[in-house]
Structures are given as C-alpha cells and as structure tokens.
Amino acid sequence: MGFTINAGLLDAMVLSIVQRNDTYGYEITQYLRKAVDISESTLYPVLRRLQKGEMLETYDKEYMGRNRRYYRLTSQGETSLEEYREEWRNHKKKIDSILMDEGAEENEQA
C-alpha cells in the first residue's frame, strides 16, 4: 500500500532535486525513485511543465560525444520551491496530528 503523489508534490520534489545542483532527467528519476515509483516517461511532462512555468531552464552539455540536457532552477523556481516547502510543513503538521495520534496523548494528559 502506498500514497498517491499529486502533481504539486512531484513539482516540489523535482525543484528540490534541481536546487542541489544542475542535473539531467535520468538522474532526477533516480533521486525520485528513492521516495516514489516513477518512470522517465512520467518525469518529462513534469519537467516541461516546470519549464513552461519558468521555474526551470535548460542547457545542453556534451557527455561522451552526445549532448545531455541539463535543468537549472530559475529565481521563479527558487520562490516556488520555498512556497511548496512552507505548504508541505503546514500540510505535514496537520496530517501528523491525525495520523501520528499526537492529539490522543494530549487528551490523556488533560
């Protein structure tokens, strides 16, 4: 059993990976697979959407005689990532209050 990852959370995860250092699609997929089951064919529409939203920009770099497309975070991407992180902290806190049963301990102590 697993949890569904929505588009906003996937966007936030991709932006976070790219913030660490410029990277390319396959490498982003490998990072994401540490947390979610995702294929490259799922990732590329996400990358295009983030580019269209001016959160990512691309450049090509030669690697072993071939061009590899790298992704870089823009200033808009930095701003969006910080907003996603704040939303995530708030969302996680609310979910934890129910899922982790933190309220039950407070009620027992009262």
Side-chain angles (χ1 to χ4, degrees):
M1 181 176 163
F3 297 100
T4 304
I5 302 296
N6 68 21
L9 187 53
L10 192 53
D11 288 358
M13 292 170 72
V14 169
L15 292 173
S16 183
I17 291 166
V18 176
Q19 183 190 42
R20 295 173 189 152
N21 50 2
D22 297 359
T23 188
Y24 53 97
Y26 177 77
E27 190 171 56
I28 295 169
T29 304
Q30 296 310 303
Y31 276 112
L32 287 171
R33 284 185 177 160
K34 294 177 183 179
V36 296
D37 185 26
I38 188 170
S39 66
E40 287 181 71
S41 62
T42 301
L43 175 65
Y44 285 102
V46 173
L47 292 170
R48 281 193 294 278
R49 181 175 63 244
L50 292 171
Q51 265 187 281
K52 190 174 179 180
E54 299 181 352
M55 292 178 242
L56 292 179
E57 59 187 18
T58 63
Y59 62 93
D60 291 338
K61 187 175 176 182
E62 187 178 326
Y63 176 76
M64 296 179 65
R66 296 179 55 195
N67 275 343
R68 182 180 276 172
R69 176 146 296 165
Y70 280 78
Y71 295 86
R72 173 187 309 140
L73 208 59
T74 64
S75 59
Q76 175 62 41
E78 289 277 354
T79 301
S80 295
L81 179 56
E82 287 311 311
E83 290 170 2
Y84 278 128
R85 285 179 171 158
E86 184 60 29
E87 273 186 54
W88 175 253
R89 283 187 284 271
N90 292 333
H91 181 72
K92 183 179 180 308
K93 188 176 179 180
K94 290 175 186 176
I95 298 300
D96 281 350
S97 73
I98 296 169
L99 194 60
M100 303 310 287
D101 203 22
E102 294 170 0
E105 289 179 21
E106 291 173 12
N107 289 337
E108 289 175 12
Q109 293 175 356

